[in-house]
Amino acid sequence: MNAFERNEKALDILSKGKFLQAQQLFFENVRMAPSHETYNNLGWYLFTEGLECKNGKVRNAEKLGTYYLQKAESIRHTSVNLNNIAYVMEIQRNLAYCQTGVESRDICRAAYEYTEKALQLKYSNEAEYNRLRFLYLCDSRSTEVLSGLEKLSGQFDEPDCIEFLLNVLCIHARLHECLERLA
């Protein structure tokens, strides 16, 4: 079985709720065919699902997952790898904000830079939305955020995106446009 087949099998097993078996395949894939893809898959699994022990208990594995995601990104810059790192940073930012009540501009700036690099490799509306969110967290009055959201809202009709645009319109004292969009 090659790396691609092992990964597909792991994803299939994971979809059936067999976490320990999927986890074993992800680890085996890294051992047998180390690459940015296998490191990314293992890292994402560990970050999002945790590390299942043989006794059935699941341990938090965000640090270990982050390690593998960063290893994947250091091997090859892909939009998936870069966006996954930005997601990890968003979780870190949320945790830091919840603990201190203070925005961590350094984390937001780094996440913005990762999403910007990802967009240069492969555009997606979701990645652009995330880039704009991180830019907003760095500078809430940025006109780039407003113009970017106005353009994006025409093609990315997600409720979160529209709500974000409405909030930014209000911040930029364009309340009449905000109300028009609500109507």
Side-chain angles (χ1 to χ4, degrees), residues 111-175:
Y112 166 76
E113 289 169 3
Y114 275 104
T115 54
E116 190 166 55
K117 287 178 191 173
L119 279 166
Q120 291 169 2
L121 295 172
K122 183 179 178 187
Y123 180 87
S124 76
N125 289 334
E126 184 178 2
E128 174 63 3
Y129 170 68
N130 287 328
R131 184 188 75 85
L132 292 170
R133 284 187 317 110
F134 289 124
L135 180 58
Y136 172 81
L137 292 170
C138 295
D139 179 8
S140 63
R141 306 222 24 96
S142 169
T143 56
E144 182 183 346
V145 173
L146 178 58
S147 62
L149 280 172
E150 286 177 322
K151 180 181 171 189
L152 183 62
S153 67
Q155 55 197 0
F156 190 58
D157 195 19
E158 292 295 316
D160 287 346
C161 181
I162 302 304
E163 181 181 352
F164 184 32
L165 171 60
L166 296 177
N167 287 325
V168 172
L169 284 170
C170 291
I171 288 169
H172 285 268
R174 291 172 57 177
L175 188 58

Side-chain angles (χ1 to χ4, degrees), residues 21-36:
Q21 290 174 328
Q23 175 182 289
Q24 289 168 339
L25 281 173
F26 285 128
F27 273 109
E28 180 182 325
N29 224 7
V30 163
R31 198 172 47 256
M32 306 272 297
S35 70
H36 75 94

Side-chain angles (χ1 to χ4, degrees), residues 73-84:
E73 193 271 328
S74 73
I75 293 171
R76 184 162 179 211
H77 296 302
T78 69
S79 61
V80 171
N81 293 348
L82 293 164
N83 280 313
N84 285 348

Side-chain angles (χ1 to χ4, degrees), residues 3 5 9 42 45 47 59 70 73 93 96-97 100 103 119 128 133 141-142 148 153-154 159 178:
E5 292 168 336
K9 185 174 180 181
L42 176 60
Y45 172 82
F47 189 85
R59 293 179 38 214
Q70 289 171 332
E73 193 271 328
R93 175 244 167 224
Y97 185 79
T100 66
E103 191 63 67
L119 279 166
E128 174 63 3
R133 284 187 317 110
R141 306 222 24 96
S142 169
S153 67
C178 180

